[in-house]
């Protein structure tokens, strides 16, 4: 495996464990899936979804000149807004 430079973002649902412990399993699972779907739908190039693990979404972009500090900040803002909008809708 070759090391590569790039950008890695981690969107993690704060309070996930407590939320699931205090919510019926079926409802908690659907809400979490909806939140993660909203985040996945927000990811745009040069970023790609690397993995979804539990309540976390891993997003990356290789350092090939297509991503910059500005695009990282825009991606963070987009992910946060998508999450906040979905929570408000709930």
């Amino acid at each position: 495996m070759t090391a590569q430079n790039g950008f890695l973002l981690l969107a993690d649902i704060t309070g996930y464990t407590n939320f699931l412990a205090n919510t019926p399993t079926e409802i908690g699972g659907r809400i979490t899936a909806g939140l993660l779907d909203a985040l996945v739908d927000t990811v745009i190039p040069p970023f790609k979804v690397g993995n979804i693990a539990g309540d976390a979404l891993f997003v990356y972009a290789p350092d090939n000149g297509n991503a910059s500090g500005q695009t990282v900040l825009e991606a963070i803002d987009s992910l946060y807004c998508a999450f906040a909008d979905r929570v408000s809708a709930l």
Side-chain angles (χ1 to χ4, degrees):
M1 182 182 298
T2 305
Q4 297 181 13
N5 292 325
F7 302 93
L8 176 64
L9 304 176
L10 171 62
D12 181 81
I13 300 174
T14 302
Y16 171 75
T17 303
N18 187 43
F19 170 73
L20 286 185
N22 295 298
T23 306
T25 303
E26 180 182 317
I27 295 169
R30 280 189 291 167
I31 290 172
T32 302
L35 290 168
L36 289 171
D37 286 344
L39 295 177
V40 168
D41 292 345
T42 302
V43 176
I44 59 171
F47 291 92
K48 299 175 184 178
V49 174
N51 194 13
I52 299 172
D55 68 327
L57 175 69
F58 297 86
V59 179
Y60 72 95
D63 188 12
N64 59 7
N66 293 327
S68 66
Q70 183 64 36
T71 54
V72 170
L73 292 175
E74 290 169 359
I76 292 168
D77 185 59
S78 294
L79 288 166
Y80 175 80
C81 289
F83 180 82
D85 289 347
R86 183 58 66 101
V87 169
S88 293
L90 292 170

